[in-house]
Amino acid sequence: MIIDAHAHVLPDGYPEDAPSCFPSMESVAGSTDRTLAFGEMRFRAKDVFFAAERRLEAQDASGVDREVVSPMPPLLKYDLPPADGLALAQHVNHFTAELCGHDPDRLTGLGMVPLQDPDAATGELAAIKEAGLAGVEIASNILGDSIGHERFLGFFQEAERLGLSVFVHAMPSHMNRLPTSAMGTYVVGVEGMFAAGSMVLGGTAAACPDLRISFSHAAGGFAMMLPRANYFWGGAWNEGPVDLDRAVMHDDGPSPLEIARRFYYDSMVFDHRALRYLIDLLGADRLLVGSDFPAMLREDPVAKTLRDMDLPAEQWEDISSRNALRWLGEG
């Protein structure tokens, strides 16, 4: 069984009386595609984004048994007025729930919330659960604030209380130190690292030990920085015994590596050597299959790099499906 834990949906349209700041889906002449128009953004979306039968056909074609689908990241537009952000989230959540209702055994949905208003976002979580969605997708930063900022703690505590899964999608944000061409590559990696690191350093992960949270693209550069963070915490190379004479950032809580091993990470890192490092450092029980489909093409067949690594059966079964079930609270 293979569960793709990182795939995206787009609604096929928006209400005619929607606020002017809402996106639109414009028809494409001679095609079933539609163009997402959201502010200055234009994205041509194939019908597999919003047509349930086409999604199931695509699953069959690539060897996927089940998808966890979340809103296309540009919909996580936190600069909308809070009331409009809530209305957009509710529309997208309703669409996602209807799409997944076409075949609940093969389509599992995540909702979205207006985190620009943490109280409104927290209050919407109960409705997400009531709609039958398994959790919520959030971006790696909210108008420049890291997700580990204390003002979002109540949101994560409520998600933990309700048993909802959280998916953190790295969201490229413009910065002066890298050119625009780096948004989809290096900046995604930086954003993933910032998001996961903020959950450790901000205290949210310690305060929410039962929170089921996953990070897109293995949280970018996070795993490469963890041994350094662990050294600063414990003063030891190679995760050895704590040496307080060397430790410069020690506290009485779990080590950064211990906390990081509570998180889940999708394994879309494009190289078997990177996957091997993640397995060795974080554990095969922490990784999920992810594809970013249909925003990106899947490997053919899905998870081909993982399949070609000749992993022990236990590790393969964990990564291909069991970890996703645990993250979703079903395992």
Side-chain angles (χ1 to χ4, degrees), residues 140 170-175 177-195 216-217 219-222 270:
S140 51
M171 182 68 77
S173 54
H174 291 278
M175 56 181 66
R177 297 177 66 187
L178 288 169
T180 301
S181 60
M183 292 302 107
T185 54
Y186 297 102
V187 176
V188 165
V190 170
E191 276 290 330
M193 179 180 67
F194 281 169
S216 72
H217 308 294
F222 182 58
F270 306 101

Side-chain angles (χ1 to χ4, degrees), residues 37-271:
F38 205 178
E40 296 181 357
M41 180 188 177
R42 296 293 183 274
F43 176 80
R44 183 162 173 165
K46 296 185 179 300
D47 58 2
V48 70
F49 269 105
F50 45 80
E53 291 183 359
R54 290 284 292 111
R55 291 202 77 96
L56 297 178
E57 291 169 4
Q59 285 187 32
D60 292 339
S62 58
V64 173
D65 296 287
R66 180 176 172 187
E67 282 179 291
V68 182
V69 296
S70 55
M72 187 69 171
L75 296 178
L76 306 176
K77 192 169 170 58
Y78 298 133
D79 59 354
L80 293 178
D84 292 339
L86 178 59
L88 175 60
Q90 290 172 336
H91 176 77
V92 174
N93 295 344
H94 178 74
F95 173 84
T96 303
E98 283 199 334
L99 181 88
C100 294
H102 186 85
D103 192 337
D105 292 331
R106 300 190 69 184
L107 293 167
T108 299
L110 302 180
M112 57 181 274
V113 291
L115 263 177
Q116 62 268 48
D117 182 341
D119 290 339
T122 302
E124 193 63 16
L125 290 175
I128 283 175
K129 183 168 185 173
E130 181 67 23
L133 299 172
V136 60
E137 176 189 47
I138 65 173
S140 51
N141 77 83
I142 294 84
L143 303 178
D145 282 344
S146 294
I147 60 172
H149 192 286
E150 62 182 1
R151 72 190 189 98
F152 304 118
L153 176 59
F155 167 79
F156 289 110
Q157 289 175 322
E158 181 68 357
E160 179 186 41
R161 187 186 73 81
L162 291 172
L164 292 171
S165 306
V166 177
F167 176 46
V168 182
H169 199 290
M171 182 68 77
S173 54
H174 291 278
M175 56 181 66
N176 293 331
R177 297 177 66 187
L178 288 169
T180 301
S181 60
M183 292 302 107
T185 54
Y186 297 102
V187 176
V188 165
V190 170
E191 276 290 330
M193 179 180 67
F194 281 169
S198 76
M199 293 293 283
V200 176
L201 294 171
T204 303
C208 302
D210 297 321
L211 180 69
R212 301 193 308 272
I213 186 168
S214 72
F215 293 85
S216 72
H217 308 294
F222 182 58
M224 283 301 297
M225 293 296 100
L226 273 171
R228 179 181 177 89
N230 221 60
Y231 176 85
F232 273 57
W233 176 85
W237 293 67
N238 303 306
E239 208 173 351
V242 171
D243 182 350
L244 292 180
D245 290 334
R246 292 176 177 269
V248 295
M249 293 179 62
H250 189 73
D251 59 45
D252 293 331
S255 73
L257 271 167
E258 288 178 88
I259 295 176
R261 289 176 183 138
R262 297 177 185 170
F263 303 158
Y264 292 93
Y265 309 85
D266 86 46
S267 57
M268 195 183 177
V269 294
F270 306 101
D271 196 295

